[in-house]
């Protein structure tokens, strides 16, 4: 029941619970918070002196809106809704249904298959520890999306997810994020 471990950590963060409520209530279709902020919460609690919301670089909000694939939907529409709900977090909203329209131009590589579900999207994120998203349902229960499981996240393992990230990009991310420095005790697996 690793999901219960994660739910417990999320519940103990009033800041993240508030952010999840804003995401749920803002009206974006199938919206979740995932990636780095979830890793920062877990690893901050387990490998530092706790989670510090002030150190969060961005709050990745993913949603699925196949009816509007425009970048304006991400940049203005979704972000505006989130900021209206709570202006403090550094929101970064991305429509996962539109990733195939911009990903190759921004990050290189060949064509990307359109993503049909949030789980399909989360499964492609750069490291297994960040390939996790959570949301609050209408009953304030925490749902977890972790297509590769939660072991790397909960056990402090930084490991490349080869679904879309090659070794060179992974090395760049490792140098930028410095996980072993930021969270003593985290193991880097290359």
């Amino acid at each position: 029941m690793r999901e219960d471990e994660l739910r417990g950590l999320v519940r103990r963060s009033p800041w993240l619970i508030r952010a999840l409520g804003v995401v749920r209530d803002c009206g974006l279709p199938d919206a979740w918070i995932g990636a780095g902020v979830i890793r920062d919460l877990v690893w901050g609690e387990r490998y530092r002196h706790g989670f510090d919301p002030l150190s969060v670089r961005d709050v990745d909000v993913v949603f699925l809106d196949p009816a509007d694939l425009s970048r304006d939907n991400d940049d203005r529409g979704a972000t505006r809704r989130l900021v209206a709900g709570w202006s403090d977090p550094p929101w970064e909203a991305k429509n996962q249904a539109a990733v195939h329209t911009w990903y190759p131009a921004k990050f290189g590589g060949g064509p990307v298959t359109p993503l049909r579900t949030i789980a399909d999207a989360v499964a492609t994120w750069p490291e297994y520890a960040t390939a996790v998203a959570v949301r609050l349902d209408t009953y304030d229960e925490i749902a977890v999306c972790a297509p590769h499981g939660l072991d790397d996240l909960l056990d402090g393992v930084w490991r490349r997810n080869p679904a879309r990230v090659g070794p060179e990009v992974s090395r760049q991310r490792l140098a930028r994020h410095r996980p072993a420095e930021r969270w003593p005790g985290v193991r880097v697996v290359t």
Side-chain angles (χ1 to χ4, degrees), residues 82-148:
L82 294 164
V83 169
W86 186 17
S87 61
D88 288 346
W91 301 108
E92 187 170 305
K94 294 285 182 258
N95 181 3
Q96 299 302 286
V99 168
H100 68 282
T101 67
W102 55 262
Y103 189 92
K106 184 171 182 175
F107 295 108
V112 172
T113 304
L115 300 167
R116 305 282 182 222
T117 68
I118 291 297
D120 290 344
V122 172
T124 68
W125 292 355
E127 293 86 32
Y128 291 130
T130 58
V132 175
V134 296
R135 72 173 174 184
L136 278 182
D137 68 16
T138 56
Y139 303 103
D140 288 335
E141 295 298 321
I142 298 166
V144 175
C145 178
H148 300 291

Side-chain angles (χ1 to χ4, degrees), residues 2 16 26 140:
R2 307 261 15 215
L16 187 53
C26 78
D140 288 335

Side-chain angles (χ1 to χ4, degrees), residues 1-2 14 19 25-26 54 56 104-105 108 126 129 145 163:
M1 298 302 329
R2 307 261 15 215
D25 297 340
C26 78
L54 296 176
V56 172
C145 178

Side-chain angles (χ1 to χ4, degrees), residues 3 72 78 109:
E3 287 187 8
D72 197 48

Side-chain angles (χ1 to χ4, degrees), residues 23-24 26-34 59-82 91-99 102 115-122 125 133-135:
V23 169
R24 177 195 59 205
C26 78
L28 292 172
D30 201 8
W32 300 70
I33 291 177
V59 178
D60 291 304
V61 175
V62 294
F63 63 100
L64 201 69
D65 184 0
D68 185 351
L69 303 182
S70 71
R71 289 309 297 260
D72 197 48
N73 191 21
D74 293 351
D75 299 335
R76 292 201 183 106
T79 301
R80 188 178 322 123
R81 288 183 191 186
L82 294 164
W91 301 108
E92 187 170 305
K94 294 285 182 258
N95 181 3
Q96 299 302 286
V99 168
W102 55 262
L115 300 167
R116 305 282 182 222
T117 68
I118 291 297
D120 290 344
V122 172
W125 292 355
V134 296
R135 72 173 174 184

